Each structure stands twice: as structure tokens, then as C-alpha cells.
Amino acid sequence: MHLHGSAEVNQNGELMIGGVSTVDLAKQYGTPLYIYDTALIRERAKGFKETFKELGVKAEVAYASKAFSCMAIFQLMKEEGLSLDVVSGGELYTALKAQFPSERIHFNGNNKSRSELITAIENKVGCIVVDNFHELRLLSEITAEKKRKMKVLLRVTPGIEAHTHDYILTGQEDSKFGFDLQNGQAEKAVKLSLESEYIELIGLHCHIGSQIFETTGFILAARKMIEKAAEWQTAYGFTPDVINLGGGFGIRYTQEDDPIPPSQYVKEMILAVKEEVSRRGMEMPEIWIEPGRSLVGDAGTSLYTIGSSKEVPGIRKYLAVDGGMSDNIRPALYRAKYEALIANKADAAPEDTVSIAGKCCESGDMLIWDLPLPIAEAGDLLAVFCTGAYGYSMANNYNRLPRPPVVFVENGKAKLVIRRETYQDLAALDEYLT
Ligand SMILES: *Cc1c(COP(=O)(O)O)cnc(C)c1O
């Protein structure tokens, strides 16, 4: 079993994370429970920052907060000197409430509303990543009305779509995001931005996919963006101060995944940009990135209590836990795979193969298929690893299940950062009909 970060097994066979026994955590906070190994998050954050520093490149590392957003994680990212990528008024509100420095907040998203843009401008966010012509018009209007300058990056689609283990190059990229680089949309957006009095165009942005295991896509995207920027420098005198290459760095969920170290993505990107700009006699821009999954993914563990089981003779054994697609929809949504162990028997050898079902009323509510486990019984604790990204942030109240609490563990201490939802919370928005 691959243990991530500070995870270890103590002499009682209990899974420990951050120096805290998960059996004790279950007793104190109940299950299902999200546990974050914050030392591991800090290590990842420092890793990204240090690589840029070593190579002498000005950078901003912005945590893509959609991977897991709450006030505590924003405070942690602030402590680590990261910037923040938000994609909605709600994420922005949470970040501001956590007193995240607004000048380090970048606002992404393909359909920002007028009121979201106004909130971003009034709170002086660092930049807005403009996605489309509608937004560009809206932002020109609002900034002119308020006579407020706003720094802008243009999100472009470079015609490179990266998948987990491969990437495709398409002439005309079919994506809901961004200005197309090939067909002249991006160029038109550059022109319009430069003409707009209160828009200060500082650079270009792209994000080519997620859970990517190769550097090729990033390098191609970087080269393409510099190539276009060079054309626009000649045509319009526009030089990008910033090239933002987005996020998408892959992590290890199971033994099928073989990620490269995060620093390698950064190194190869920097080299590609350096090469392209020096070949054209351009200034080296700042390089910004937006990792989400690779900062928090493997730092998160979900802890469940095992309840019922069902054996279909000769076919399969199901074990059901007290959560499921309501706290982790990724397996149901895109067949995401996870590794897991029994947290109170973490040193026992697997003797059985079981499939882990959730408790929601959907046959598709499965967390793991064909998992090797020691013999488990009701009351045992199941720890599912690597659930830190797009787990809690996609949690929902299907079947009116309360969302689990979240604890941060580090140096033998646990801190509750999101409490468990109550039944009262669930009915809090409801109004009686009569
Ligand atoms: C989702 C997203 C990210 C983060 O992606 P990860 O795969 O979690 O690193 C970064 N930038 C943008 C624009 C995104 O939409």
C-alpha cells in the first residue's frame, strides 16, 4: 500500500496522519470525515515556489481553489505565499472573508456575471482572466462606469487538448473556454482590450486539461502562445508581461498512475518559454501557474465506517460505507479510481476482494470496485486515499445526507476547519407550503 505524505501505521495497526490516529479522529468527529495532511500541502506549495526561484523566473503560483475551497485552506495558501484562482462569486467571497490579499486573487471562469465582475472590481482583485467577447464588453462597460483600471489576462485555447495519458492537437479546438488562438478570435480580443480605456492587458492565459502526466502539452501550449505574442508585438506593440499556463499536473491515485515530479513540469515550461522568447529577442515574461489537484489531492483522505455487506455468490462482495457519491462524486462522475485500507487494521494483509458501495439510492453510487482488503466487518473504518481535490468541493446533499466535516492534521494536532452539516442546516433554506 502506498502511503502519502505523513501517513504511517502505528504499533496498534492504526493509520496515522499528521501524527494523529485516524481511529481517534473517527471517535472525536464521527464519519464520514475528510482529513487533510497540511504538512504535505505546504511541501507541495514550497516545491512549486522554489523551482521558479531556482531558475530565476518571476512567477505567481495560484492555488486553483475549486479543487477544495474553504477559509482555512485559503489561510494556509496565504501563509505559503501563494496566489489564488477563484471561479465564482462564492469562492471570491470565501477568499475575502478569509482575508486573502485581494491583489493576489485571479478571477477565472467562462460566464462571470455582471455582479460577480462588480464585486471583483470593487474588491480590487489582482486580475481578471477574461474568457470571451461578452465578458470583455461587460468588463469594459463596468470599469468605465466606475473609472477603475483592471488588469486582464486573456484566456486562449491554444488548440492543444491534454488528456491523462495523451494529448491531441486540433486546428479548431472544440471547447467552451477561451478565445481561439487559430481562428483570429484571440487576436481580435487583444485588439479590443488594447482599445479599452480601463482594461490593462497584462498577458495571456491557457489551461489545457487536468490530471496530465506529460510535459509535452504544456510545452506546446507555451510555444504557441509566445509565437502569437510575437506577432502581436509587431502588429500592435503588445508585449505580454505574464504567460499563465494554468494547472493540470497529474497525481498518483493508484498504482496505475506514474506522475512526474511537479518541479519537472515547471522546469520544462520555463525552458520552453525562455527558448522561444530569446529566439525572438523578446523580454522574458513572468510565468504563472494554477495548480489545484497537485497541491491538495494526495493530502486528503476520506474516512468512513463500514456498515452493511452483500455477497452475490460467485460474482462480487459489496461493502457499504456511511457516505458515497454525496461526499465523493468522482467515481460516479468519471470512473475515478482510489486505493483504500482499513484504518483500524492498517497492518493486516489483504485476504479478500470487495467493492465499496455508498449509501445513496443509485446503483452508480460506488466508491471503489474490486479492492483488495483484509476481512472487514461492520464498524471497521475505511480510509480512502487521495480524495483531497474535487472531493469535498463537489460534495452535495443527495438523499439529504449532511456533508462531512473537514479536519486539518499536522504535528500531532487536529483542527476542525469545516463542521459537519446538521439536519437543521439541511432544512434551513426550506419554507413551509402552508
Ligand atoms: C481547474 C482549473 C485549474 C486547476 O486544475 P488542476 O487539474 O486541479 O490542477 C487551473 N486553472 C483553471 C482555469 C482551471 O479551470
Side-chain angles (χ1 to χ4, degrees):
M1 174 59 60
H2 183 95
L3 294 175
H4 300 260
S6 67
E8 58 187 345
V9 179
N10 72 8
Q11 71 272 21
N12 300 327
E14 296 169 356
L15 173 68
M16 307 279 291
I17 302 174
V20 182
S21 161
T22 54
V23 176
D24 293 343
L25 288 173
K27 277 192 197 122
Q28 189 173 352
Y29 301 103
T31 59
L33 173 67
Y34 267 99
I35 304 162
Y36 280 83
D37 177 354
T38 41
L40 185 56
I41 301 176
R42 293 183 199 281
E43 186 185 316
R44 300 268 186 263
K46 287 186 172 74
F48 279 119
K49 290 204 77 170
E50 272 161 22
T51 310
F52 281 108
K53 214 165 156 192
E54 271 167 30
L55 292 168
V57 174
K58 275 199 175 172
E60 272 194 52
V61 179
Y63 167 55
S65 60
K66 72 180 195 275
F68 170 52
S69 66
C70 67
M71 294 199 294
I73 194 76
F74 293 165
Q75 289 181 307
L76 189 150
M77 295 303 178
K78 177 180 161 187
E79 281 172 13
E80 294 305 320
L82 264 57
S83 299
L84 206 61
D85 151 29
V86 301
V87 295
S88 71
E91 286 182 356
L92 178 57
Y93 173 85
T94 311
L96 293 171
K97 191 167 177 197
Q99 283 163 354
F100 199 90
S102 62
E103 71 277 8
R104 296 215 310 264
I105 298 178
H106 311 159
F107 195 7
N108 262 296
N110 73 311
N111 190 21
K112 303 175 192 81
S113 69
R114 189 179 174 86
S115 80
E116 284 175 323
L117 289 172
I118 289 174
T119 310
I121 292 163
E122 286 179 346
N123 287 287
K124 301 196 167 79
V125 302
C127 76
I128 293 179
V129 183
V130 172
D131 184 276
N132 53 71
F133 292 110
H134 167 74
E135 185 184 345
L136 199 51
R137 268 193 303 277
L138 212 50
L139 190 61
S140 289
E141 275 168 32
I142 301 168
T143 49
E145 276 163 24
K146 299 197 170 287
K147 300 201 182 346
R148 282 267 187 90
K149 286 237 172 208
M150 178 49 74
K151 290 195 168 99
V152 158
L153 295 178
L154 293 177
R155 177 163 183 171
V156 301
T157 37
I160 290 143
E161 199 182 327
H163 297 280
T164 298
H165 289 291
D166 62 334
Y167 59 93
I168 49 169
L169 276 168
T170 53
Q172 197 85 343
E173 199 193 5
D174 185 8
S175 161
K176 77 166 182 175
F177 293 108
F179 298 101
D180 198 294
L181 212 51
Q182 324 281 344
N183 69 9
Q185 280 177 358
E187 179 166 356
K188 192 171 159 204
V190 167
K191 260 197 291 190
L192 287 171
S193 305
L194 294 172
E195 284 162 16
S196 174
E197 190 179 352
Y198 292 95
I199 285 181
E200 187 188 340
L201 181 62
I202 61 166
L204 303 174
H205 171 287
C206 74
H207 171 71
I208 58 169
S210 201
Q211 186 64 353
I212 301 167
F213 286 98
E214 296 180 335
T215 56
T216 325
F218 293 104
I219 291 170
L220 287 171
R223 289 190 191 281
K224 198 85 190 224
M225 284 163 80
I226 303 291
E227 183 192 313
K228 286 287 174 188
E231 285 176 29
W232 299 334
Q233 190 171 19
T234 315
Y236 311 109
F238 161 66
T239 321
D241 297 327
V242 173
I243 294 288
N244 187 328
L245 290 165
F249 318 121
I251 64 166
R252 181 197 185 283
Y253 283 98
T254 70
Q255 57 187 13
E256 291 170 16
D257 303 322
D258 188 18
I260 55 177
S263 59
Q264 196 173 331
Y265 292 101
V266 173
K267 280 183 188 155
E268 293 195 24
M269 280 177 183
I270 293 174
L271 287 179
V273 173
K274 271 193 175 159
E275 212 179 279
E276 291 294 322
V277 296
S278 69
R279 198 146 59 87
R280 299 182 160 85
M282 295 166 74
E283 293 263 320
M284 181 69 186
E286 289 188 26
I287 299 181
W288 294 6
I289 55 168
E290 295 169 337
R293 190 191 309 276
S294 55
L295 280 168
V296 296
D298 59 357
T301 301
S302 306
L303 196 64
Y304 302 97
T305 301
I306 293 170
S308 65
S309 60
K310 173 182 176 178
E311 185 135 15
V312 188
I315 296 179
R316 182 180 305 286
K317 185 166 162 188
Y318 289 94
L319 281 185
V321 295
D322 52 356
M325 65 189 290
S326 46
D327 56 80
N328 186 356
I329 203 171
R330 294 185 69 253
L333 197 59
Y334 26 70
R335 296 174 191 231
K337 289 186 181 161
Y338 291 100
E339 289 177 347
L341 52 67
I342 298 183
N344 52 307
K345 299 175 186 166
D347 52 357
E351 289 180 60
D352 210 356
T353 299
V354 298
S355 292
I356 306 296
K359 65 176 280 158
C360 295
C361 295
E362 291 282 327
S363 301
D365 177 26
M366 295 294 297
L367 287 173
I368 307 178
W369 294 98
D370 303 323
L371 172 72
L373 269 194
I375 302 296
E377 46 197 292
D380 280 341
L381 297 169
L382 186 80
V384 180
F385 295 115
C386 258
T387 58
Y390 309 105
Y392 188 87
S393 66
M394 289 188 178
N396 58 78
N397 296 121
Y398 184 52
N399 291 170
R400 287 239 150 172
L401 296 183
R403 283 176 296 171
V406 179
V407 289
F408 282 6
V409 290
E410 194 169 344
N411 294 327
K413 291 203 182 71
K415 167 89 176 90
L416 183 72
V417 297
I418 305 179
R419 69 163 170 84
R420 183 181 303 283
E421 254 179 335
T422 62
Y423 294 143
Q424 289 76 19
D425 290 332
L426 291 173
L429 306 178
D430 295 13
E431 302 281 352
Y432 288 104
L433 179 60
T434 55

